[in-house]
Amino acid sequence: MRLLTFALKRLGRLLLTVLLISTIIFFVIRVIPGDPALVIAGLDASPESVAAIRAKIGTDQPLAVQYVRWLAAVVRFNFGTSLSTGQPVTQMIIERFLLTLGLALLGMVVALVLAIPLGILSAVRRWSVWDYLGMLFSQIGMAVPGFWLGILLLLLLAVKVHWFPLFGSGTLKHLVLPAVALGFARAAVLLRLTRASMIEELSREYVVTARAKGLTERMVKYKHALKNALLPVVTVAGIQLGYMLGGAVIIEQVFSLPGLGRLFLTGVYQRDFPLIQGGIVFIALAFSLINFAVDILYSVLNPKIRIG
Amino acid sequence: MGSAPLLAVRGLAVSFQRDRDGPVSRALRGVDLSVDESEIHGLVGESGCGKTVTSTAVMGLLASPPARIEDGSIVFEGRDLLGLSAEERRKVRGRQIAMVFQEPARYLNPSFRVGSQITEMLGLHLGMSRREAEARAVELAGLVGLGGARRVLQAYPHELSGGMKQRAMIAMAISCNPHLLIADEPTTALDVTLQLQILRLIARLREKFRMGILFISHDLRLVRTVADRVTVMYAGRAVETTSARELYRGALHPYTRLLLASIPAAQKRGTRLKVIPGRVPDAQAIPAGCAFHPRCPLAEDRCRAEMPESREHEPGHAASCHFVGKPWPD
């Protein structure tokens, strides 16, 4: 019951955030120099045709009217049509978003699968071979840029031996290498965090209690300490997932994946305002939704949070 | 009381060494301590005297390294715990010997419901089913005075008050009917009115379950009111053991006598509060001879050279001092 009110509160905050962001986006876009009507019409267009285009895309209206229209459209999840392709922006985004989402999720899976077991092992067997291996791994992971790793993976696993396709999309196999390239650096950070958090939790007094109760070492470590140790990991992983949605541009470029990042890049080049606006609001929404999900997950794990 | 004590610690010596070439702390230097069945035995001393190391050793929870058991035995119900395997010791913990800690807020796991922290023991030690364990947890909560047992068991530790947390901790400790309960400063973190309630609860549980209780405290006054017998520790040794009543009338060891004299009391209003001069020695540099001699008003040359053995001066009243009964200087 308390979880439900907590969830509703967070949902309200989420909607407010998205509203705020769409407002900011709307005005920022209009401050940036460059008239979209001119871009569409071309430099040598007649004033009449430019005015016609303005009327068509609505930029001839007063700002307040434009703003209200914009909000009304956003609420209905309608971001207008792309200036360059004429397709509905929402449809374009969703087509690309599925790929980016898949990539981000798979990247996070890679990161977690690498980071959590190795992080726990490093903490439980401190100063062992595992610990040094983990530290080495995280050093490398933090030092190596994702795009470089991506190129390296392509050279080795797609060019030298043909285990994975060189480019293209559509199957899970296409996503494996980019996901590894994307997840590797995240794994390095999460590994350190898991290790540090687990070490800290193992030194807590409740661990003494658990041992004094005669629980097995396995229960002490992997039930009592681990549940607390994973709290910060969940938070950071959630934030990282959000960033991966918007920030996979480079990896998408390296692997020629038609994801959101590339869509926005072309949108910016072509001054495709509806596309940029819609895209940013969409990313903000996705980011907030992920944070919301993480908050809920976090409060299930950590009941103390629900008070606030 | 039976002939053999429930718990008999004999000559227990424990040292700590952090680094291979680092200094050695001699935390315990031959501790003798016994707890009888259904007895509350107080263990008193200043912080750093080895009370907690003693109880941790009895629990089998000393981390080794850095701790090392050099000598001695811990006989519980006829068997030497130091001879058991790690797995056998684990099965004793929580089942036959249970422990309550000083700060329940820190010693309860914040992420698990109070109820589940009780029932997990019942499943593990007594093989109870989930439903049996839940019913038993409700019963235990009632026993330790947690009103609205079911609601409390559903709560997380942070949702309970300090006193309720300690009651939950006690419920957990007594859940498997242990024969020995170690209470390490169980009331120190609580305010005064709660202290009394928890002390009463512990005394009542002793009556009901006839379990032996090792009650550890730095507060001699508190121990005197709750315990049957008292052992006073100083610098890793038990310097005096006697009944709580005898302690009032005729403490033998100078350290105990000074401790008693330093308790503030209403009758002594207006007089200067007595303090023991000097401070507890560092476990890395225990003075030769009697460890208390630098602070002792009775000390002579012999005290600086020869460590006094514990001797029984009256039946049930042992002290380790060369000059028991020597007149007190002003």
Side-chain angles (χ1 to χ4, degrees):
Chain A
M1 208 49 217
R2 254 171 305 175
L3 186 62
L4 189 69
T5 48
F6 173 79
L8 286 175
K9 258 192 218 163
R10 281 294 145 102
L11 202 62
R13 198 191 283 182
L14 183 154
L15 293 175
L16 204 68
T17 309
V18 175
L19 175 75
L20 213 67
I21 288 171
S22 34
T23 304
I24 292 170
I25 296 304
F26 174 85
F27 286 105
V28 165
I29 293 265
R30 268 138 192 92
V31 167
I32 296 172
D35 185 342
L38 277 177
V39 175
I40 297 168
L43 280 175
D44 48 351
S46 67
E48 289 78 32
S49 59
V50 171
I53 292 171
R54 279 203 186 115
K56 196 179 149 217
I57 61 177
T59 46
D60 59 335
Q61 300 289 323
L63 214 54
V65 175
Q66 288 187 42
Y67 176 63
V68 172
R69 281 189 183 167
W70 155 249
L71 278 190
V74 165
V75 169
R76 279 176 280 126
F77 222 67
N78 171 15
F79 301 113
T81 53
S82 161
L83 297 185
S84 51
T85 67
Q87 276 181 293
V89 168
T90 312
Q91 189 197 328
M92 287 170 77
I93 289 175
I94 286 176
E95 275 169 16
R96 304 298 191 92
F97 177 67
L98 289 178
L99 183 93
T100 299
L101 183 68
L103 179 61
L105 286 176
L106 205 60
M108 189 41 77
V109 169
V110 170
L112 292 176
V113 164
L114 285 173
I116 289 184
L118 207 50
I120 292 169
L121 211 58
S122 296
V124 171
R125 309 239 171 93
R126 250 170 118 182
W127 315 127
S128 73
V129 178
W130 290 108
D131 196 12
Y132 286 113
L133 215 68
M135 280 202 249
L136 184 74
F137 168 75
S138 68
Q139 282 292 344
I140 294 171
M142 281 193 259
V144 169
F147 75 88
W148 185 81
L149 182 65
I151 294 170
L152 195 73
L153 287 173
L154 277 178
L155 281 176
L156 287 178
L157 300 178
V159 177
K160 277 236 153 148
V161 290
H162 306 286
W163 291 356
F164 293 96
L166 190 53
F167 57 83
S169 62
T171 69
L172 194 66
K173 222 174 173 182
H174 287 99
L175 286 182
V176 171
L177 293 186
V180 170
L182 196 60
F184 201 71
R186 272 78 188 177
V189 175
L190 291 177
L191 188 152
R192 295 227 148 186
L193 188 66
T194 307
R195 177 181 183 270
S197 175
M198 189 73 182
I199 285 172
E200 188 178 325
E201 292 304 324
L202 282 173
S203 71
R204 300 254 182 209
E205 289 87 346
Y206 67 76
V207 169
V208 178
T209 310
R211 293 209 170 101
K213 282 156 76 174
L215 303 186
T216 58
E217 265 315 283
R218 188 183 288 180
M219 286 171 88
V220 173
K221 289 190 176 109
Y222 303 117
K223 181 179 174 189
H224 280 260
L226 186 59
K227 188 171 179 191
N228 291 292
L230 285 182
L231 291 176
V233 180
V234 167
T235 312
V236 172
I239 293 169
Q240 285 184 336
L241 187 63
Y243 278 121
M244 275 153 90
L245 282 183
V249 184
I250 297 171
I251 293 292
E252 283 172 10
Q253 211 66 5
V254 168
F255 289 88
S256 352
L257 291 172
L260 266 192
R262 289 185 82 199
L263 182 68
F264 296 149
L265 212 58
T266 31
V268 172
Y269 286 148
Q270 300 176 341
R271 293 283 146 91
D272 195 339
F273 287 2
L275 182 59
I276 301 169
Q277 282 179 6
I280 292 173
V281 171
F282 190 84
I283 293 263
L285 184 67
F287 195 94
S288 306
L289 275 175
I290 286 172
N291 275 347
F292 171 72
V294 169
D295 276 354
I296 297 299
L297 181 62
Y298 194 82
S299 77
V300 170
L301 288 174
N302 181 11
K304 269 192 187 180
I305 291 298
R306 270 177 244 163
I307 307 171
Chain B
M1 273 170 211
S3 49
L6 177 68
L7 173 77
V9 177
R10 290 285 165 259
L12 186 65
V14 174
S15 64
F16 286 83
Q17 190 172 23
R18 295 247 160 242
D19 309 304
R20 234 222 228 143
D21 308 311
V24 179
S25 292
R26 298 168 68 205
L28 300 184
R29 303 177 301 126
V31 170
D32 293 325
L33 175 71
S34 72
V35 181
D36 289 323
E37 240 173 79
S38 78
E39 173 200 26
I40 298 185
H41 193 109
L43 186 60
V44 192
E46 290 166 275
S47 46
C49 71
K51 299 171 305 221
T52 300
V53 178
T54 306
S55 66
T56 312
V58 172
M59 289 301 286
L61 290 174
L62 284 176
S64 168
R68 214 175 77 186
I69 295 179
E70 309 272 3
D71 198 11
S73 62
I74 302 173
V75 177
F76 174 73
E77 294 186 327
R79 49 176 190 167
D80 188 355
L81 296 179
L82 295 180
L84 299 184
S85 70
E87 181 61 11
E88 287 168 321
R89 293 215 74 175
R90 180 186 69 71
K91 285 179 179 159
V92 172
R93 281 198 290 275
R95 174 72 188 85
Q96 273 127 16
I97 306 179
M99 191 156 177
V100 174
F101 296 93
Q102 180 172 352
E103 286 176 83
R106 290 163 158 275
Y107 282 89
L108 289 168
N109 193 325
S111 295
F112 289 91
R113 291 178 200 277
V114 170
S116 86
Q117 296 190 49
I118 298 176
T119 52
E120 69 177 341
M121 292 178 74
L122 296 167
L124 188 69
H125 288 302
L126 306 179
M128 281 191 186
S129 72
R130 203 194 157 107
R131 277 186 53 195
E132 287 171 319
E134 273 165 13
R136 170 81 176 138
V138 171
E139 187 190 330
L140 284 163
L143 216 63
V144 298
L146 283 171
R150 272 171 210 283
R151 198 178 44 80
V152 171
L153 293 174
Q154 282 297 308
Y156 288 92
H158 72 272
E159 295 170 316
L160 304 182
S161 68
M164 286 167 97
K165 281 191 204 104
Q166 193 58 293
R167 284 174 198 274
M169 193 95 219
I170 293 171
M172 212 176 286
I174 63 167
S175 64
C176 299
N177 281 326
H179 302 162
L180 176 67
L181 178 70
I182 300 176
D184 189 356
E185 307 257 6
T187 61
T188 309
L190 304 174
D191 58 51
V192 183
T193 46
L194 281 173
Q195 276 191 14
L196 201 64
Q197 289 179 20
I198 296 292
L199 288 181
R200 285 205 185 115
L201 171 64
I202 289 175
R204 212 182 53 202
L205 291 173
R206 182 266 299 262
E207 296 290 318
K208 198 170 163 76
F209 297 106
R210 304 193 51 77
M211 58 184 159
I213 296 173
L214 183 63
F215 190 98
I216 300 172
S217 179
H218 67 281
D219 188 345
L220 185 58
R221 194 171 37 163
L222 185 78
V223 165
R224 222 167 43 180
T225 59
V226 69
D228 304 308
R229 282 197 302 154
V230 177
T231 293
V232 179
M233 280 187 79
Y234 187 80
R237 279 178 75 86
V239 294
E240 182 160 8
T241 300
T242 184
S243 69
R245 190 172 302 169
E246 183 66 20
L247 192 73
Y248 248 133
R249 288 195 308 237
L252 295 178
H253 197 282
Y255 177 60
T256 317
R257 291 166 72 179
L258 285 169
L259 270 187
L260 286 165
S262 64
I263 296 176
Q267 306 92 288
K268 292 193 278 187
R269 218 190 141 109
T271 61
R272 216 180 154 79
L273 191 62
K274 288 213 173 58
V275 291
I276 307 179
R279 42 186 289 227
V280 184
D282 189 335
Q284 287 171 18
I286 304 275
C290 172
F292 189 57
H293 81 252
R295 305 170 76 184
C296 182
L298 302 182
E300 294 183 14
D301 283 346
R302 191 183 170 197
C303 305
R304 285 178 262 277
E306 186 189 332
M307 186 161 79
E309 289 303 320
S310 176
R311 276 184 299 128
E312 202 164 15
H313 296 274
E314 288 160 49
H317 191 168
S320 45
C321 176
H322 294 305
F323 298 107
V324 162
K326 184 178 169 182
W328 203 251
D330 280 317

